[in-house]
Amino acid sequence: MKYSKATDYALHTMLFLTAATPQKPIGVQQLAERQSVSPTYLSKILTKLVKAGMIESITGVNGGYRLKRNWEDISFLDIIHAIEGSASLFDCSFDHGPGCPIQKVVLSAEEKMEELLRNQKMSDLVREHNIVI
Amino acid sequence: MKYSKATDYALHTMLFLTAATPQKPIGVQQLAERQSVSPTYLSKILTKLVKAGMIESITGVNGGYRLKRNWEDISFLDIIHAIEGSASLFDCSFDHGPGCPIQKVVLSAEEKMEELLRNQKMSDLVREHNIVI
DNA sequence: TCTATTAGGGACTTCACAGGTCTATAATAG
DNA sequence: CTATTATAGACCTGTGAAGTCCCTAATAGA
Ligand code: SF4
Ligand code: SF4
């Protein structure tokens, strides 16, 4: 029961991009170095974020990744779901109806967690903590 | 990011034991059949619950597993921690001090979830839902 | 138009661990 | 003593995370 390394990398990258907010795209090379991870692997992760519509990529010389217009609304949960998927923590193979007490408890606990992650926007975090690159 | 099958089995077993609350211990054979899992495997899981002090085991003829005295206070979180361990969802290898904003957010989200799981006692669940074996 | 630079994608490897099986041992009721 | 029960250790297997390698596509700048 852990978040994957990929989620770790995605969160850090988004934090960096949000704190930087340049018009100029930032290359995966540079992003990978900061996190001591291989560029090829990080690029696979960032492609997921692109497909989720959070960032955009520009190929070619001076290309890289850049936030999209709605960047101020991106939450932790958005990023986590983009990488981990949005399946439930608890998947029993059976379905004993909506009355199942075990599922009800675990899923409502999960919802509590997601609620906080959904309300925490990356942009607010940067503003509150005055993060400078 | 999922709870393991083992946690699933542990929760179901505890639900069953709590709903039954007999003085007579219940054998792993019977518990395993209800969940369509091998007795040997389930016994490994139940041994963890024994070591965590939630249930006790009686060897020999007519032996099995039985709740301990404090059974009314056992929470979902107790069971989950006994099986999954209590490590954090998010473990970055570095430690950039207590000010790290990413950790702060994720860990407080996790705490929200654990709070609910800690307050939900198995015995209350059985009482509220009127579960009968 | 050519070339260097960038992202994207597919195929592949490696490793850890969940999920289980098998077998032997220890305890105990009858 | 014996049948029945839990405990423990060694072992197996499949899956998925984490990462590498290499080829392709796009594009800015010379
Ligand atoms: S009781 Fe609930 S959690 Fe258990 S198998 Fe049925 S539906 Fe799933
Ligand atoms: S910024 Fe926080 S989460 Fe990231 S490596 Fe540092 S301590 Fe860990």
Side-chain angles (χ1 to χ4, degrees), chain A residues 21-96:
Chain A
T21 53
Q23 297 77 355
K24 202 177 73 155
I26 300 178
V28 74
Q29 218 79 277
Q30 189 181 343
L31 293 166
E33 269 175 29
R34 294 182 66 89
Q35 307 184 54
S36 308
V37 61
S38 101
T40 7
Y41 185 46
L42 186 60
S43 89
K44 286 193 186 309
I45 295 165
L46 296 190
T47 300
K48 284 190 182 179
L49 297 182
V50 169
K51 295 206 166 141
M54 294 180 196
I55 57 180
E56 57 185 356
S57 65
I58 295 95
T59 54
V61 180
N62 294 326
Y65 296 91
R66 189 205 304 159
L67 291 170
K68 292 193 72 174
R69 346 314 150 200
N70 63 333
W71 65 272
E72 292 200 312
D73 293 330
I74 295 174
S75 70
F76 270 63
L77 190 63
D78 291 330
I79 301 170
I80 292 173
H81 273 179
I83 306 297
E84 302 271 338
S86 39
S88 160
L89 278 184
F90 189 79
D91 62 339
C92 83
S93 30
F94 304 94
D95 184 7
H96 291 150

Side-chain angles (χ1 to χ4, degrees), chain B:
Chain B
M1 248 291 278
K2 272 197 183 319
Y3 283 124
S4 65
K5 283 270 182 192
T7 296
D8 182 317
Y9 297 141
L11 287 173
H12 280 82
T13 301
M14 288 301 292
L15 177 63
F16 180 78
L17 290 179
T18 304
T21 53
Q23 297 76 356
K24 201 177 76 157
I26 301 180
V28 74
Q29 218 78 275
Q30 190 181 341
L31 293 166
E33 269 175 29
R34 296 180 66 90
Q35 307 184 54
S36 309
V37 61
S38 103
T40 6
Y41 184 47
L42 185 60
S43 87
K44 285 193 186 308
I45 295 165
L46 296 191
T47 299
K48 284 191 182 177
L49 297 182
V50 169
K51 295 205 167 141
M54 294 179 197
I55 57 179
E56 58 185 355
S57 65
I58 295 94
T59 53
V61 180
N62 295 326
Y65 296 91
R66 191 206 302 161
L67 292 169
K68 293 193 72 173
R69 349 309 153 205
N70 63 334
W71 64 272
E72 292 200 313
D73 293 330
I74 296 174
S75 69
F76 269 65
L77 191 63
D78 291 330
I79 301 170
I80 292 173
H81 273 179
I83 305 297
E84 302 272 337
S86 38
S88 160
L89 279 186
F90 189 79
D91 61 340
C92 84
S93 31
F94 305 93
D95 183 7
H96 291 151
C100 162
I102 293 184
Q103 286 207 339
K104 213 181 281 183
V105 169
V106 179
L107 295 189
S108 67
E110 189 180 2
E111 176 53 35
K112 278 283 180 199
M113 180 170 73
E114 295 201 336
E115 184 184 327
L116 195 150
L117 292 173
R118 184 162 35 236
N119 291 331
Q120 178 66 62
K121 294 177 186 168
M122 199 50 101
S123 57
D124 292 338
L125 192 70
V126 169
R127 200 174 312 121
E128 287 160 16
H129 286 74
N130 217 18
I131 293 176
V132 190
I133 301 300

